[in-house]
Amino acid sequence: MGLIEFYGQYWPLLMSGTGITIAQFLLGAVLTVALALVFGLMKMSSNKLIKGSSVVYIEIFRGTSLLVQLYWIFFVLPLFGLTLEKFTAGWIAIGLNAGAYGAELVRGGIMAVPKGQWEAATAINMSGARRMWRIILPQALVNMLPAWGNLLIEILKGTALVSLIAVTDLMFQAKQINASTYQSAQIFGAALVIYYVLARFLLTPFLRWLEGFMAHKLGRA
């Protein structure tokens, strides 16, 4: 079978898997951002219980393998009465793992905001929540966007692990095609190119645009 015929036959399966990979990435990224914001703020709390809960979450999910967490969520939680469908288990595991790293990025970004900004917001009688939402977080977001870009790319690459619990993503489809054709170079080469295109030509330009947009909004352009 020629190369054109090979890709013509199996390209629809690769595209189907790519769609699942993108869905896993988007859902995992949304969960990551939500968890990072919540636990990053919790870690800055003066309440020892709130801060301690954040530390426990961050240390557990940063200190253990994403693959082990994925297996725990999909294979072990059902033993305790909580069963998740494989697609759901995939993006939840990714979000929980990346959220722990994101929480530290949020905390670091907030701490990098100059002290004068906190004092100025306090001087005009802003409440703590309003000060954080209107003054501190927008500036912190600009500080942490470059690091968030790296984390989101890691999330995209981490989605390949969900194939191990039979989620029909790009890597799962590639392995299935390889098992039936033994054309490893062609099929895994195509998968490599697709992952690269998603990261380099879709995700990276969006993050650069967002970074520039936020800098312009804050007058840092």
Side-chain angles (χ1 to χ4, degrees), residues 30-173:
V30 169
L31 181 59
T32 294
V33 171
L35 291 174
L37 184 59
V38 170
F39 284 96
L41 292 173
M42 285 174 61
K43 193 170 182 181
M44 299 180 64
S45 174
S46 58
N47 185 296
K48 291 184 179 180
L49 180 59
I50 294 175
K51 183 176 181 178
S53 299
S54 176
V55 170
V56 168
Y57 161 72
I58 291 171
E59 292 304 315
I60 287 176
F61 283 93
R62 283 204 312 169
T64 56
S65 165
L66 171 57
L67 180 57
V68 175
Q69 295 163 19
L70 180 64
Y71 281 167
W72 256 86
I73 290 172
F74 187 66
F75 293 112
V76 179
L77 287 186
L79 302 178
F80 298 94
L82 179 58
T83 301
L84 295 176
E85 190 269 333
K86 58 188 178 182
F87 180 88
T88 304
W91 63 264
I92 286 179
I94 292 168
L96 286 170
N97 179 268
Y101 292 91
E104 286 296 297
L105 296 182
V106 169
R107 185 183 67 85
I110 291 174
M111 296 297 293
V113 175
K115 185 178 179 181
Q117 297 294 314
W118 297 77
E119 295 173 344
T122 302
I124 58 176
N125 294 321
M126 275 191 171
S127 65
R130 186 174 178 83
R131 175 184 61 190
M132 181 62 68
W133 183 253
R134 295 293 301 274
I135 305 297
I136 305 304
L137 275 180
Q139 297 182 68
L141 179 59
V142 174
N143 294 335
M144 60 177 117
L145 269 178
W148 267 98
N150 293 331
L151 181 59
L152 289 173
I153 290 174
E154 289 300 316
I155 292 173
L156 176 62
K157 294 188 293 185
T159 60
L161 291 178
V162 304
S163 65
L164 298 174
I165 59 171
V167 176
T168 56
D169 72 324
L170 173 58
M171 186 52 61
F172 179 88
Q173 297 289 12

